Amino acid sequence: MTDTIKTTVSGQHFINGSWIGQADAFNSFDPVKNSKLNWQFANASDDEVAQAATAANTAFTQYRSKTATQRAEFLEAIADEILADMDIITAAAHFETGLPMARLQGETGRTCTQLKLFATRLREPLEPRYVDRANPERAPLPKADTRLGVLPLGPVAVFGASNFPLAFSTAGGDTASALAAGCTVIVKGHPAHAATSELVTRSIEKAIIRCDMPQGVFNLVQGNSPQVSTTLVTHDAIKAVGFTGSLKVGRILADLCAARAEPIPFYGELGSTNPQFLLPQLLQAQAEQLATTQVQSMLMGHGQFCTSPGVVVAQKGEALNRYIATMTENLASLPAAAMLTPGIASTYQAQIDSLLNNGDVTLIAQGQSAEAAHHTRPTAVRVYADDYLANSELQQEIFGPCAILVECDNPEQMLRIANALEGQLTATIHGSEKELAEQGELIETVAYKVGRIIFNQMPTGVEVCHSMNHGGPYPASTDGRTTSVGSDAMKRFERPICYQNMPDALLPDELKSDNPKVICF
């Protein structure tokens, strides 16, 4: 299969409908074998990034005029073409990430579901449109006819995520929502899965031709140099950025966006510890089950999910001791494994070493010893609440299969932990119906710290649906008012516009008085 993929992958950039660039800069990498793959890729120059941005800007004047139905058909065509090419796409992703084929096939389905969800939203808009009718007789001044609509922002730069080579990358949620909003897109492919990015782009290319879309509606630039990213987000044509990645890189790019002569919105998802609060009654009744589901959740994707549960908060006692015993037994049986990239593995190992050298931290258990130098071990540690609160480093995300159990003396300490939380994508409160009813203050406190508050379920798994919110207060995301999953994600790439006294014949169809979604005042 690697030879088949080799003949399909050019290693080039896709700019304005053409494949260009010299594929001689970097190779894909097999994290399982810890060795380079034989697929080589180009590193985008400043001129090539500028070509992509210019192409997207030129195409925007045509694409923004496409009807909602035409954009919906385009999104559905992309989904169809990806499904048709799924075997070769998932094979490449398997080599480049080491993720199981079943996971990658499921992620392909999720990617296509996202595209189709936005198509549904375009065909059947959920939001009303507001119209204030004219009143020429109003005194002392007549009232004008005003109608509130939306316009797409313009070309959007999207950064592929390391941990989701499909659903959060080339044709993932940021790309799908930007295209749905009427924006053109330039994707900066993630170097950890460059072949996957190209193969998905080839599917998008087929959809562009099939739907007669402007050539520059979608562009892919490859690269393993930070310069590619900085050049892209600072180009004048770019009007917004979608990013999923580390807090460190996200802050660099966000600051560049803010420092531009024309600042632009940077929608970054930057990480989360996704704390689990275990209330005493349920812990007493289900200690072993809760520990087992915790380990299962934190080991999904070897801990490399943005919603991996990295912190557990519970009160000390016999029930917590049972929980720890079960966690120890489960973890001890788990093998060490490769992570998505050597860089991610190196960072994880350094964080684990630092954690285990902290005098306030006690090791609960680790997985089996690593058989290879690039493998990492699942780890769980325990720390007392006061020590956790006193050390901000313990409160930071460890991206990988690790959990910190924070042991509290009483409910007041659990509430202090909740108040001290940074912004999170999710948090879960596990409790019986009776004790949940008595925890109004804890629930309210947690709600103000997260984008999604969960009860009696683990956080791994983000449903693609209209009501989903995948974001949260900083640093979980750079704009806690927005989501990167769910059909509301397209609102990030739109802006409001008010039409005043516009002739009815010139109004967008969605703002005409015969539209059943119009609410008149």
Side-chain angles (χ1 to χ4, degrees), residues 399-440:
F399 188 68
C402 175
I404 297 176
L405 190 151
V406 183
E407 187 170 343
C408 300
D409 291 325
N410 49 52
E412 289 72 28
Q413 277 190 327
M414 294 183 74
L415 185 59
R416 285 178 59 202
I417 298 292
N419 273 300
L421 289 176
E422 293 185 328
Q424 305 289 333
L425 293 171
T426 76
T428 302
I429 302 177
H430 300 269
S432 67
E433 186 173 343
K434 178 178 181 296
E435 60 187 340
L436 287 173
E438 297 169 349
Q439 290 294 329

XYZ file of all heavy atoms in Angstrom, residues 399-440:
312
model
N -0.299 16.546 27.736
C -0.913 15.950 26.557
C -0.406 14.527 26.400
O 0.699 14.286 25.918
C -0.574 16.787 25.317
C -1.320 16.370 24.072
C -2.683 16.557 23.975
C -0.648 15.787 23.011
C -3.376 16.181 22.827
C -1.325 15.399 21.865
C -2.700 15.601 21.772
N -1.218 13.591 26.833
C -0.826 12.198 26.806
C -1.577 11.416 27.866
O -2.442 11.957 28.573
N -1.247 10.127 28.053
C -2.007 9.242 28.935
C -1.640 9.413 30.407
O -1.023 8.540 31.029
C -1.636 7.855 28.423
C -0.222 8.028 27.931
C -0.175 9.403 27.338
N -2.030 10.546 30.963
C -1.677 10.853 32.356
C -2.880 11.446 33.070
O -3.657 12.202 32.469
C -0.513 11.843 32.391
S -0.083 12.397 34.066
N -3.025 11.118 34.339
C -4.062 11.725 35.173
C -3.471 12.085 36.525
O -2.670 11.334 37.092
C -5.250 10.780 35.360
N -3.864 13.249 37.038
C -3.486 13.700 38.372
C -4.717 13.610 39.256
O -5.740 14.258 38.983
C -2.956 15.144 38.340
C -1.682 15.227 37.488
C -2.693 15.656 39.752
C -1.142 16.636 37.331
N -4.638 12.801 40.296
C -5.741 12.679 41.246
C -5.512 13.664 42.390
O -4.487 13.592 43.076
C -5.834 11.253 41.772
C -7.093 10.915 42.588
C -7.441 9.444 42.436
C -6.930 11.252 44.066
N -6.452 14.586 42.567
C -6.355 15.609 43.609
C -7.220 15.169 44.781
O -8.447 15.075 44.663
C -6.805 16.984 43.084
C -6.623 18.041 44.175
C -6.036 17.360 41.814
N -6.575 14.896 45.907
C -7.267 14.363 47.080
C -7.666 15.500 48.016
O -6.819 16.279 48.475
C -6.365 13.367 47.808
C -7.064 12.631 48.937
C -6.224 11.482 49.482
O -5.275 11.060 48.786
O -6.521 11.023 50.596
N -8.964 15.595 48.292
C -9.514 16.677 49.113
C -9.951 16.146 50.475
O -10.336 14.981 50.616
C -10.716 17.319 48.416
S -10.323 18.043 46.810
N -9.925 17.032 51.463
C -10.394 16.667 52.800
C -11.898 16.788 52.936
O -12.513 16.086 53.752
C -9.733 17.567 53.859
C -8.246 17.304 54.003
O -7.851 16.130 53.868
O -7.487 18.271 54.232
N -12.506 17.695 52.159
C -13.920 18.024 52.358
C -14.490 18.672 51.095
O -13.747 19.014 50.169
C -14.073 18.955 53.568
C -13.099 20.125 53.497
O -13.037 20.828 52.494
N -12.327 20.322 54.570
N -15.816 18.891 51.057
C -16.445 19.532 49.886
C -15.929 20.945 49.630
O -15.889 21.386 48.476
C -17.935 19.536 50.235
C -18.104 18.441 51.238
C -16.834 18.423 52.028
N -15.535 21.641 50.682
C -15.048 23.015 50.518
C -13.768 23.039 49.678
O -13.570 23.940 48.859
C -14.801 23.653 51.884
C -16.072 23.981 52.675
C -16.767 22.751 53.225
O -16.065 21.732 53.475
O -18.010 22.783 53.384
N -12.910 22.053 49.892
C -11.692 21.996 49.081
C -12.008 21.682 47.623
O -11.385 22.218 46.704
C -10.724 20.951 49.639
C -9.870 21.458 50.796
C -8.764 20.491 51.143
O -8.911 19.276 51.033
N -7.624 21.018 51.587
N -12.991 20.826 47.379
C -13.401 20.549 46.004
C -13.892 21.825 45.328
O -13.581 22.081 44.152
C -14.491 19.472 45.970
C -14.021 18.103 46.446
S -15.298 16.817 46.323
C -15.346 16.536 44.563
N -14.635 22.628 46.054
C -15.123 23.888 45.506
C -13.969 24.850 45.242
O -13.967 25.569 44.239
C -16.140 24.513 46.467
C -16.846 25.791 45.985
C -17.615 25.527 44.690
C -17.783 26.318 47.066
N -12.962 24.846 46.107
C -11.780 25.687 45.875
C -11.050 25.270 44.604
O -10.562 26.119 43.848
C -10.836 25.613 47.082
C -11.305 26.396 48.312
C -10.324 26.213 49.459
N -8.977 26.661 49.084
C -7.857 26.251 49.691
N -7.926 25.350 50.670
N -6.689 26.719 49.311
N -10.967 23.965 44.378
C -10.356 23.471 43.140
C -11.132 23.999 41.935
O -10.551 24.488 40.957
C -10.316 21.935 43.107
C -9.461 21.368 44.248
C -9.820 21.438 41.744
C -7.997 21.654 44.136
N -12.450 23.913 41.996
C -13.285 24.384 40.885
C -13.072 25.873 40.647
O -12.960 26.319 39.495
C -14.752 24.088 41.171
N -13.006 26.648 41.692
C -12.804 28.096 41.550
C -11.438 28.431 40.972
O -11.276 29.454 40.299
C -12.969 28.779 42.911
C -14.411 29.129 43.215
O -15.041 29.895 42.484
N -14.950 28.553 44.278
N -10.460 27.582 41.214
C -9.099 27.855 40.753
C -8.847 27.399 39.317
O -7.797 27.710 38.753
C -8.094 27.162 41.671
N -9.792 26.693 38.717
C -9.578 26.164 37.380
C -9.373 27.270 36.357
O -10.023 28.314 36.404
C -10.796 25.334 36.930
C -11.034 23.987 37.592
C -12.338 23.396 37.084
C -9.870 23.026 37.309
N -8.462 27.032 35.424
C -8.414 27.831 34.211
C -9.563 27.386 33.304
O -10.265 26.416 33.586
C -7.075 27.640 33.501
C -5.890 28.199 34.252
C -4.602 28.093 33.460
O -4.449 27.123 32.682
O -3.749 28.976 33.609
N -9.738 28.102 32.194
C -10.777 27.725 31.261
C -10.555 26.324 30.698
O -9.420 25.937 30.394
N -11.627 25.572 30.576
C -11.560 24.181 30.128
C -12.550 23.937 28.990
O -13.593 24.592 28.913
C -11.913 23.230 31.286
C -11.089 23.407 32.538
C -9.660 22.948 32.380
O -9.362 22.073 31.567
N -8.753 23.530 33.151
N -12.223 22.972 28.139
C -13.196 22.529 27.157
C -14.373 21.853 27.843
O -15.539 22.104 27.504
C -12.552 21.553 26.168
C -11.488 22.126 25.235
C -10.793 20.993 24.487
C -12.102 23.115 24.264
N -14.063 20.981 28.801
C -15.113 20.238 29.505
C -14.744 20.073 30.972
O -13.585 20.203 31.369
C -15.305 18.814 28.918
O -14.234 17.971 29.373
C -15.360 18.814 27.407
N -15.739 19.750 31.751
C -15.555 19.195 33.095
C -16.774 18.324 33.370
O -17.869 18.593 32.870
C -15.431 20.287 34.155
N -16.557 17.283 34.155
C -17.636 16.350 34.476
C -17.846 16.314 35.982
O -16.880 16.294 36.755
C -17.308 14.929 33.981
O -17.088 14.961 32.576
C -18.450 13.977 34.279
N -19.108 16.266 36.382
C -19.462 16.050 37.778
C -20.168 14.708 37.862
O -21.217 14.505 37.239
C -20.352 17.179 38.324
C -19.624 18.526 38.178
C -20.711 16.915 39.789
C -20.453 19.716 38.628
N -19.563 13.788 38.606
C -20.132 12.460 38.798
C -20.800 12.431 40.169
O -20.136 12.625 41.200
C -19.038 11.388 38.751
C -18.288 11.335 37.449
N -18.664 10.526 36.403
C -17.177 12.005 37.033
C -17.816 10.685 35.397
N -16.904 11.572 35.749
N -22.106 12.160 40.191
C -22.796 12.141 41.471
C -24.164 11.503 41.358
O -24.728 11.380 40.258
N -24.704 11.084 42.484
C -26.065 10.563 42.502
C -27.041 11.719 42.269
O -26.697 12.903 42.405
C -26.362 9.911 43.856
O -26.378 10.901 44.881
N -28.245 11.377 41.921
C -29.246 12.418 41.666
C -29.449 13.291 42.902
O -29.576 14.514 42.798
C -30.567 11.766 41.239
C -31.624 12.765 40.802
C -32.852 12.098 40.215
O -32.772 10.901 39.850
O -33.894 12.771 40.116
N -29.444 12.661 44.069
C -29.658 13.407 45.305
C -28.506 14.373 45.571
O -28.721 15.548 45.879
C -29.799 12.435 46.480
C -29.980 13.105 47.839
C -30.159 12.066 48.943
C -30.374 12.727 50.302
N -29.194 13.506 50.735
N -27.263 13.920 45.434
C -26.159 14.820 45.767
C -25.936 15.873 44.686
O -25.503 16.991 44.984
C -24.875 14.049 46.086
C -24.324 13.179 44.998
C -23.150 12.327 45.503
O -22.539 12.661 46.534
O -22.858 11.303 44.843
N -26.269 15.560 43.442
C -26.196 16.595 42.415
C -27.166 17.734 42.723
O -26.846 18.913 42.522
C -26.501 16.005 41.037
C -25.416 15.124 40.408
C -25.925 14.483 39.125
C -24.156 15.936 40.140
N -28.339 17.374 43.229
C -29.334 18.392 43.581
C -28.846 19.295 44.707
O -29.318 20.433 44.845
C -30.645 17.717 43.984
N -27.876 18.810 45.480
C -27.361 19.589 46.610
C -26.080 20.348 46.264
O -25.511 21.013 47.126
C -27.078 18.634 47.785
C -28.326 17.921 48.308
C -27.979 16.792 49.266
O -26.770 16.439 49.345
O -28.908 16.260 49.926
N -25.628 20.246 45.019
C -24.333 20.825 44.633
C -24.488 22.009 43.677
O -23.698 22.180 42.747
C -23.461 19.747 44.002
C -22.974 18.688 44.969
C -22.011 19.253 45.997
O -21.274 20.195 45.723
N -22.026 18.685 47.204
N -25.481 22.834 43.923
C -25.725 23.976 43.043
C -24.534 24.905 42.917
O -24.213 25.370 41.814
